[in-house]
Each structure stands twice: as structure tokens, then as C-alpha cells.
């Protein structure tokens, strides 16, 4: 399956890298303008990163209301510390470092207070309902899909928090090892090992779905 | 190529290969190995299933109130810090507060322990001072008188004892 996967050609990769670099420079530039008091630049940054941050936090805490609350705190902290911003690291690294820190703290506190419970929120069902109206799958297909999704969510939820954060950043945010390492404040080799163990666990837990 | 799964140090290469993140030369080398290694082939297949299952997990759409609530919070923060804006972002509060506290302490210290202010107009009458002096003199005379009386009584008692 993977052996047949198409690889990026050299020129394509260069183009993608240049686009990525331009986006990073744009983020830093916008943040520098925010530092100078330009609120329109803050709105642009919010527009660009609101979705990825909320989605990451949603998958971390598996609750939309909490994810949005934490995301508000992330952007509020960005705004509050705008005066001390220096473009020494990628803006997204800084942003996701704040988000990961808040999510890990929330998970720690939640486990202390309520124990480990799975959260079936209305938004997960909304997605299925939306697809139901578009493609009209059978009730059986919906239920199978819902069951599979619940298993995936439970398998990810059961990972140790740091492994979970690393997997989510690697899979959904498509971050490289260096950036994940910078966000988790660990070495690149430690992140590689963390991801390898996390995926090993997921492979074994989701093996029956293959 | 050594089997990545047999060599823990390069096991991550398989992950990168499955994620299509290897450079073309390395990818084709791993590709050749995977086709001949059943373990690595099974690894890639299982990893592909994991990612495929994860792809189905869609994140919800962001609620409409998100931005409004965030900006309301930022406005609240800005209003709370109006004084800071008034004196400027770079105003250093700590040194200013320390300096203020030091000045207050100096003023208080001066008020409590400083020299007493003399009245500008000199007192017209010196009577009370003379009165005080004469009173002290009278007391000294009385003490001297009492001592002399005691001495006399002592002499008197000695002489009467001799007469007896």
C-alpha cells in the first residue's frame, strides 16, 4: 500500500518549501505588526490559525466547548504578550506550545477531578449527520462509521498525554520532528521515539479494524 | 539496506516512508526493502490503516461566537489596563513603586525623628523660668535644713545619753 505511494518530485518539494517559508515569514511579520499595535494584523493571524488550533485542542480534550475555551486562552495570551514577541522561533511553534501546555494542564486537572471518561459530544454526531444528508448512507453504515470513529477516539484518548499531543501534531498538523520537539520542549530523537511508541500502540489497538 | 525494524535506531525511517516524507532517493531504497521484507510490509500496511482510520475523525466547525467572545475578553483586558496605556507601555512600575515607597518612608521618618520646629516668635515673658529656678532652690534648702535637723537630733541624743 505504502510502497505504491507517489513521492513528491524535487521541484514540487522546492515549491512547497518556498510557500511554507513565505507563510512563516508572513506570520512573523503580522505578529511584529501586532506588537506595534496593529489590531487588523491580529485579526489576520486569528483568521489563519483559529481553525488549526481549535481542531488540535478538540482532538486533545475531545470536547468542543472546552477546546474553544482553551483556544480563546491561547489567542488571548498571544495578544497579551505581543509586546515581548521576538521572531526567534516560528510563530506556529509558539502558538502550539501555548496550546499544548494548556491542553496538557487541562487533561491533568480533569483526570484528577473526574477520572478518565470518554466524551461523546454533539459535534462528532453532527459530522456524521451532515454526511448522511449529502451521500445518504444506510443506517447500518452510519452506525459502523460511528463505532469505528469511537474506537479511534478511544485509542487516541488512551495514549499518554505527551504521546497524544505528538501524534496529533504529526498527523493532523503535519509538523516535522523538529517543530514537535520545539513545542514539547524535548529533543528530536525523543520525539521520534515518542511517535514510534504511540503509533505502535495505535496499530495494536486498531489492528482489528484493518 | 538493513531492516529498519531490526535496527531500532532507524525504525522511524519506516514511519517517514509511510508518511511519504522521505527524500526520493531514500524512499526508493526503503521501497525496495519493504517489497522483500514481510515484517516491514506488514508494518506499513498496519500504519496505513491507522492513518486511514484517523482521517475519518473530522474536527467540528468553529462556533460563530468564538471571535466575538475573544475580542470581548481582549476589550476587557484593555479597559482594565487603561492606566498602563496612559503612562505608556514601557513605563517601569516596579522602580517607580520602590521609589515612591522610599520617599514616603523618608518623609515619615523625618516627621517622627526630625528636629522640633522652634516657634518663630520668642516668648515675651521669662517669669515661669524664674519660678522654676526658685522652686528648685527652695527644695534644696529644705533638704539641707532637714539634714541639719537630723544632725542636731543625733548630737542631742548623744549628749543626753552622756548626762544620764
Amino acid at each position: 500500500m505504502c510502497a505504491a505511494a507517489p513521492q513528491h518530485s524535487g521541484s514540487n518539494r522546492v515549491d512547497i518549501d518556498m510557500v511554507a517559508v513565505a507563510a512563516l515569514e508572513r506570520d512573523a511579520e503580522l505578529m511584529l505588526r501586532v506588537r506595534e499595535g496593529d489590531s487588523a494584523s491580529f485579526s489576520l493571524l486569528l483568521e489563519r490559525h483559529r481553525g488549526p488550533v481549535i481542531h488540535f485542542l478538540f482532538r486533545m480534550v475531545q470536547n468542543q466547548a472546552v477546546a474553544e475555551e482553551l483556544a480563546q486562552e491561547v489567542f488571548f495570551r498571544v495578544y497579551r504578550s505581543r509586546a515581548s514577541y521576538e521572531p526567534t522561533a516560528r510563530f506556529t511553534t509558539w502558538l502550539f506550545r501555548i496550546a499544548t501546555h494548556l491542553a496538557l494542564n487541562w487533561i491533568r486537572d480533569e483526570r484528577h477531578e473526574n477520572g478518565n471518561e470518554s466524551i461523546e459530544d454533539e459535534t462528532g454526531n453532527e459530522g456524521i449527520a451532515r454526511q448522511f444528508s449529502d451521500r445518504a448512507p444506510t443506517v447500518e453504515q452510519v452506525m459502523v462509521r460511528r463505532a469505528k470513529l469511537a474506537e479511534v477516539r478511544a485509542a487516541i484518548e488512551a495514549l499518554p498525554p505527551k504521546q497524544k499531543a505528538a501524534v496529533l501534531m504529526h498527523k493532523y498538523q503535519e509538523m516535522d520532528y523538529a517543530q514537535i520537539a520545539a513545542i514539547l520542549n524535548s529533543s528530536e530523537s525523543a520525539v521520534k521515539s515518542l511517535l514510534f511508541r504511540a503509533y505502535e500502540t495505535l496499530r495494536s489497538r486498531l489492528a482489528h479494524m484493518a | 539496506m538493513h531492516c529498519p525494524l531490526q535496527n531500532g535506531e532507524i525504525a522511524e525511517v519506516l514511519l517517514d516512508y509511510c508518511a511519504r516524507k522521505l527524500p526520493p532517493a531514500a524512499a526508493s531504497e526503503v521501497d525496495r526493502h519493504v517489497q522483500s521484507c514481510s515484517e516491514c510490509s506488514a508494518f506499513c500496511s498496519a500504519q496505513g490503516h491507522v492513518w486511514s482510520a484517523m482521517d475519518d475523525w473530522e474536527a467540528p466547525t468553529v462556533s460563530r461566537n468564538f471571535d466575538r467572545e475573544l475580542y470581548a475578553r481582549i476589550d476587557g483586558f484593555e479597559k482594565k489596563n487603561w492606566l498602563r496605556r496612559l503612562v505608556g507601555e514601557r513605563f517601569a512600575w516596579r522602580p517607580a513603586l520602590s521609589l515612591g515607597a522610599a520617599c514616603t518612608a523618608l518623609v515619615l521618618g523625618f516627621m517622627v525623628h526630625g528636629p522640633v520646629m522652634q516657634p518663630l516668635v520668642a516668648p515675651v515673658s521669662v517669669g515661669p523660668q524664674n519660678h522654676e529656678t526658685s522652686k528648685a532652690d527652695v527644695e534644696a534648702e529644705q533638704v539641707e535644713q532637714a539634714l541639719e535637723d537630723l544632725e542636731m537630733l543625733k548630737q542631742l541624743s548623744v549628749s543626753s545619753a552622756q548626762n544620764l
Side-chain angles (χ1 to χ4, degrees), chain A residues 96-170:
Chain A
F96 275 84
R97 187 182 280 181
I98 301 171
T100 306
H101 175 76
L102 289 172
L104 292 178
N105 280 353
W106 186 87
I107 290 167
R108 185 199 59 205
D109 296 346
E110 187 68 7
R111 282 187 178 169
H112 265 292
E113 283 176 19
N114 302 334
N116 199 359
E117 58 184 68
S118 83
I119 303 151
E120 187 65 36
D121 69 306
E122 70 283 2
T123 51
N125 300 338
E126 219 174 69
I128 293 164
R130 212 171 33 241
Q131 202 170 39
F132 186 82
S133 61
D134 290 347
R135 298 182 196 169
T138 63
V139 174
E140 192 187 354
Q141 281 174 320
V142 171
M143 289 182 72
V144 168
R145 187 184 144 85
R146 191 178 290 182
K148 278 186 175 179
L149 195 56
E151 279 192 65
V152 171
R153 290 172 65 161
I156 293 172
E157 179 64 18
L159 290 173
K162 225 173 170 181
Q163 283 190 20
K164 181 163 64 170
V167 164
L168 295 179
M169 284 187 273
H170 184 251

Side-chain angles (χ1 to χ4, degrees), chain A residues 68 73 79 171-172 177, chain B residues 16 54-55 63 73 78:
Chain A
E68 291 198 359
E73 181 64 26
Y79 181 83
K171 170 71 181 101
Y172 295 107
Y177 298 124
Chain B
D16 288 341
M54 287 174 79
D55 280 336
S63 67
R73 194 173 170 192
E78 288 293 351

Side-chain angles (χ1 to χ4, degrees), chain A residues 1-10 13 39 42-44 46-47 50-51 54-55 58-60 62 64 67-69 71-73 75-76 79-80 82-83 121 123-124 126-127 130-131 145 148-149 152-153 156 167-168 170-172 174-177 189 192-193 195-196 199-200 202-204 206 209-210, chain B residues 4-5 7-28 30-32 34-35 40-78 81 84-85 89-90:
Chain A
M1 180 185 145
C2 293
Q7 305 292 331
H8 292 301
S9 71
R13 182 171 286 277
S39 56
F42 182 76
S43 299
L44 281 173
L46 181 63
E47 187 66 35
R50 183 206 301 113
I54 294 178
H55 293 169
F58 168 72
R59 290 182 175 114
M60 280 295 283
Q62 303 211 6
Q64 191 184 4
E68 291 198 359
E69 200 176 301
Q72 294 235 346
E73 181 64 26
F75 286 105
F76 178 69
Y79 181 83
R80 201 177 54 186
R82 67 196 182 286
D121 69 306
T123 51
E126 219 174 69
R130 212 171 33 241
Q131 202 170 39
R145 187 184 144 85
K148 278 186 175 179
L149 195 56
V152 171
R153 290 172 65 161
I156 293 172
V167 164
L168 295 179
H170 184 251
K171 170 71 181 101
Y172 295 107
E174 298 185 348
M175 290 181 185
D176 56 27
Y177 298 124
S189 60
K192 283 181 183 176
S193 152
L195 278 170
F196 196 80
Y199 282 128
E200 201 168 32
L202 290 178
R203 283 195 301 275
S204 83
L206 303 174
M209 287 169 66
Chain B
L5 290 178
N7 185 350
E9 287 179 12
I10 57 164
E12 301 89 26
V13 169
L14 267 185
L15 266 185
D16 288 341
Y17 169 75
C18 296
R20 301 167 195 174
K21 284 179 180 172
L22 283 183
S28 60
V30 179
D31 199 18
R32 279 195 299 276
V34 168
Q35 281 173 8
C40 288
S41 180
F43 175 99
C44 288
S45 174
Q47 189 58 43
H49 284 302
V50 166
W51 277 331
S52 166
M54 287 174 79
D55 280 336
D56 287 341
W57 188 12
E58 291 170 7
T61 50
V62 180
S63 67
R64 286 178 184 178
N65 292 335
F66 183 83
D67 285 10
R68 204 186 53 187
E69 285 170 11
L70 177 64
Y71 285 122
R73 194 173 170 192
I74 287 172
D75 281 348
F77 170 74
E78 288 293 351
N81 290 282
R84 199 181 63 182
R85 287 206 312 278
E89 287 288 336
R90 295 181 193 279

Side-chain angles (χ1 to χ4, degrees), chain B residues 125-134:
Chain B
S125 168
V126 291
Q129 271 188 331
N130 292 342
H131 176 74
E132 287 293 319
T133 314
S134 61

